[in-house]
Amino acid sequence: VSERSAVQVNDARAAVAFYGGTLGLPVAEEDGFHAVDAGPLTLYIDPADLSDGIVLELVTADVEAARTYLSERGCKILRWEGAGGVCLIEDPFGIRFNLWQESGE
């Protein structure tokens, strides 16, 4: 598990204004998302149709293998873009997380 997570929002512009302006946290572009530097945690702003708040992020060497493994064990695939994209999964307990694989790995 990495020290990064995402917050899914319907309005990314408003989220950037809140985290960067209201809270005064540094916000930068990273991997096609806005990355909020919240100390030991990087919080990515994910403009998503599924607006569910905080999403844990798990980094894996192979998202396709992880997808198969987790699906076979009761996880639901909610959104799948493959390596370098959003791969949103819900575990059997209703917790949502994103599997992340850097592009080119």
Side-chain angles (χ1 to χ4, degrees), residues 2-3 5 8 12 16-17 34 36 41 46-47 52-53 61 63 65 67 70 75 83-84 93-94 96-98:
S2 66
E3 296 175 344
S5 291
Q8 292 185 328
V16 168
H34 287 93
V36 179
L41 173 73
D46 178 12
D52 292 312
V63 292
R67 176 185 186 168
L70 293 168
C75 291
F93 311 101
R96 293 180 177 191
F97 57 92
N98 183 59

Side-chain angles (χ1 to χ4, degrees), residues 3-5 7 15-16 18-20 23-30 33-45:
E3 296 175 344
R4 59 186 190 181
S5 291
V7 59
V16 168
F18 176 78
Y19 291 108
L23 296 183
L25 297 171
V27 179
E29 287 278 334
E30 187 177 316
F33 293 93
H34 287 93
V36 179
D37 182 356
L41 173 73
T42 300
L43 184 66
Y44 291 89
I45 297 173

Side-chain angles (χ1 to χ4, degrees), residues 9 14 21 44 54 58 61 65 79 86-87 93 98:
V9 297
Y44 291 89
I54 297 291
L58 303 176
R79 180 170 154 195
V86 174
C87 298
F93 311 101
N98 183 59

Side-chain angles (χ1 to χ4, degrees), residues 29-102:
E29 287 278 334
E30 187 177 316
D31 296 325
F33 293 93
H34 287 93
V36 179
D37 182 356
L41 173 73
T42 300
L43 184 66
Y44 291 89
I45 297 173
D46 178 12
D49 295 333
L50 300 168
S51 182
D52 292 312
I54 297 291
V55 176
L56 299 176
E57 183 152 311
L58 303 176
V59 178
T60 180
D62 185 343
V63 292
E64 296 303 330
R67 176 185 186 168
T68 300
Y69 179 83
L70 293 168
S71 293
E72 290 171 349
R73 286 156 181 83
C75 291
K76 296 178 195 169
I77 308 303
L78 303 177
R79 180 170 154 195
W80 197 263
E81 297 175 4
V86 174
C87 298
L88 189 63
I89 292 188
E90 183 177 270
D91 73 15
F93 311 101
I95 305 299
R96 293 180 177 191
F97 57 92
N98 183 59
L99 293 176
W100 181 259
Q101 175 183 317
E102 298 293 332

